[in-house]
């Protein structure tokens, strides 16, 4: 099928693929579309007899990419990252006692009721009830972590040294998530130059102003476990569990979905360190406790084999190894309009971080093994209010009592 893309004055354009993509791989392409160009607001697949033949793209007003640009970018990603992937049938390890329904999205009514406020894309302000719900959910996950032997809790700073991510080659796998931090160089002349440029630009921050910045060796953490690995770098560990709660940041390009996709979010993360068998067993124990918690919360959810959203050259081999070795499980909860979101992940890293951060096994020598469990607290709260509503009188008794404390 030959497709001639319409002009970009149309809010929707059609981009043809250079050759049909098997339908079994369309989900892998779907994960990447919003990272391909900031002009893409939404998309739909156009299927033909041989597979996906084109994409219908809904664009932002005044897009910067031409149709030719979009066609080139999309086909490049399809050929380099998507077509090389194997297709996978979802492997479900566990399903909750409650079965899913088709719930409406509670967010518009929550906004009207003043329970939440969205100050900008990917950010969310919580009112008192949602704060108490998130804190209650966090206490339940925290109790699982601290109920394990050799467990400790830490509170980490937000800023993460850039060298921590450089050390384990994070930028080669996840360049699309990273957010850098900087500040104005502390020099009187520099401050005066900044003020002059700022006023000349109509009291607006323009890209040129960032040339006056220094201290570019920090970033915002994409998750909390990197703080733990950095803290324990160069040490010897017999077996240990470290849990923490903190703000994490990932640029995911599209935030129209409200609470299920945030740029600035909160994670309760638990890291296991020690011999391989200890780490594997710790993940298994945490999984079982998490399944019990989901049933206690009365949530419709499932646990399935998953993979991270790698980008670029790392994609093919990393996805393959994660799925074949079942290194990553995701706890997926049902939310509004028949959708589902991952509210927790359960990961094994092998000796990778032990080697990268020189974390050795006490008495045995060699690099330690690691694993981690992460819960997105806003996502978990969103799944809960989607399924139970935001009136506490309709919540399971244990949650109602816990939130009232």
């Amino acid at each position: 099928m030959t497709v001639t893309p319409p002009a970009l004055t149309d809010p929707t354009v059609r981009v043809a693929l250079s050759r049909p993509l098997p339908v079994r791989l369309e989900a892998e392409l779907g994960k990447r579309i919003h990272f391909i160009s900031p002009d893409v607001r939404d998309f739909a697949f156009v299927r033909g007899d041989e597979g996906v033949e084109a994409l219908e793209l809904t664009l932002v007003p005044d897009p910067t990419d031409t149709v030719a640009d979009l066609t080139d970018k999309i086909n490049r990603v399809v050929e380099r990252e998507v077509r090389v992937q194997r297709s996978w049938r979802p492997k479900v390890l566990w399903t909750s006692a409650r079965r899913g329904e088709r719930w409406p999205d509670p967010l518009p009514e929550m906004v009207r009721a003043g329970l939440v406020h969205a100050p900008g894309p990917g950010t969310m302000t919580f009112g008192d009830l949602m704060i108490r719900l998130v804190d209650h959910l966090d206490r339940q996950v925290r109790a699982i972590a601290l109920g394990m032997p050799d467990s400790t809790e830490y509170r980490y700073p937000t800023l993460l040294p850039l060298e921590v991510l450089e050390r384990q080659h994070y930028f080669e796998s996840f360049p699309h998530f990273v957010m850098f931090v900087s500040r104005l160089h502390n020099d009187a002349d520099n401050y005066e130059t900044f003020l002059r440029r700022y006023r000349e630009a109509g009291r607006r921050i323009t890209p040129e102003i960032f040339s006056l910045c220094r201290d570019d060796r920090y970033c915002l953490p994409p998750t909390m476990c990197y703080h733990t690995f950095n803290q324990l770098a160069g040490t010897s560990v017999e077996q240990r569990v470290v849990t923490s709660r903190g703000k994490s940041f990932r640029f995911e390009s599209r935030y129209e979905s409200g609470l299920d996709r945030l740029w600035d979010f909160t994670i309760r993360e638990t890291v296991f360190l020690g011999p391989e068998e200890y780490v594997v067993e710790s993940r298994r124990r945490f999984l079982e406790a998490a399944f019990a918690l989901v049933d206690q919360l009365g949530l419709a959810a499932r646990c399935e084999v998953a993979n991270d959203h790698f980008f670029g050259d790392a994609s093919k081999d990393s996805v393959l190894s994660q799925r074949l070795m079942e290194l990553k499980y995701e706890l997926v909860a049902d939310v509004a309009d028949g959708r589902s979101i991952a509210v927790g992940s359960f990961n094994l890293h092998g000796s990778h971080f032990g080697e990268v951060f020189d974390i050795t096994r006490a008495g045995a020598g060699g690099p330690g093994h690691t694993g981690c469990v992460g819960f997105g607290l806003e996502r978990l709260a969103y799944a809960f209010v989607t399924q139970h509503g935001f009136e506490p009188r309709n919540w399971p008794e244990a949650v109602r009592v816990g939130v009232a404390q």
Side-chain angles (χ1 to χ4, degrees), residues 142 145-146 152-154 241-245 268-271:
R142 176 179 180 269
L146 293 180
T152 313
E153 182 174 24
Y154 286 97
V241 176
V242 176
T243 190
S244 62
R245 167 179 167 168
R268 163 64 63 179
E269 187 143 22
T270 303
V271 178

Side-chain angles (χ1 to χ4, degrees), residues 226-387:
Y226 297 114
H227 284 295
T228 301
F229 298 139
N230 188 44
Q231 175 190 4
L232 298 177
T235 66
S236 183
V237 176
E238 183 174 354
Q239 58 184 46
R240 193 168 182 185
V241 176
V242 176
T243 190
S244 62
R245 167 179 167 168
K247 300 295 287 190
S248 297
F249 306 82
R250 293 178 201 161
F251 180 71
E252 297 195 58
S253 181
R254 176 184 163 200
Y255 299 104
E256 287 84 356
S257 300
L259 279 170
D260 62 348
R261 187 184 295 271
L262 292 175
W263 192 345
D264 173 347
F265 58 100
T266 313
I267 285 182
R268 163 64 63 179
E269 187 143 22
T270 303
V271 178
F272 316 118
L273 306 101
E276 180 179 11
E277 60 274 13
Y278 167 78
V279 172
V280 172
E281 174 63 13
S282 296
R283 181 177 75 158
R284 186 196 65 78
R285 289 181 57 184
F286 210 115
L287 269 170
E288 290 186 354
F291 298 160
L293 173 60
V294 168
D295 279 334
Q296 178 189 336
L297 296 173
L299 292 180
R302 64 189 182 277
C303 182
E304 59 189 31
V305 177
N307 61 269
D308 287 309
H309 294 172
F310 297 96
F311 188 92
D313 296 339
S315 182
K316 178 185 175 183
D317 293 338
S318 299
V319 168
L320 180 64
S321 62
Q322 274 195 325
R323 284 193 169 270
L324 285 179
M325 300 174 68
E326 297 192 8
L327 301 179
K328 185 179 187 69
Y329 298 144
E330 284 187 341
L331 185 61
V332 180
D334 294 335
V335 289
D337 304 321
R339 295 180 294 111
S340 59
I341 56 172
V343 298
S345 65
F346 306 78
N347 311 287
L348 297 176
H349 313 131
S351 61
H352 171 72
F353 289 111
E355 294 169 357
V356 168
F357 289 94
D358 190 27
I359 303 171
T360 57
R361 292 177 54 189
H369 281 240
T370 65
C372 70
V373 172
F375 273 83
L377 298 178
E378 291 89 354
R379 283 189 170 198
L380 185 57
Y382 174 61
F384 182 86
V385 296
T386 297
Q387 297 187 26

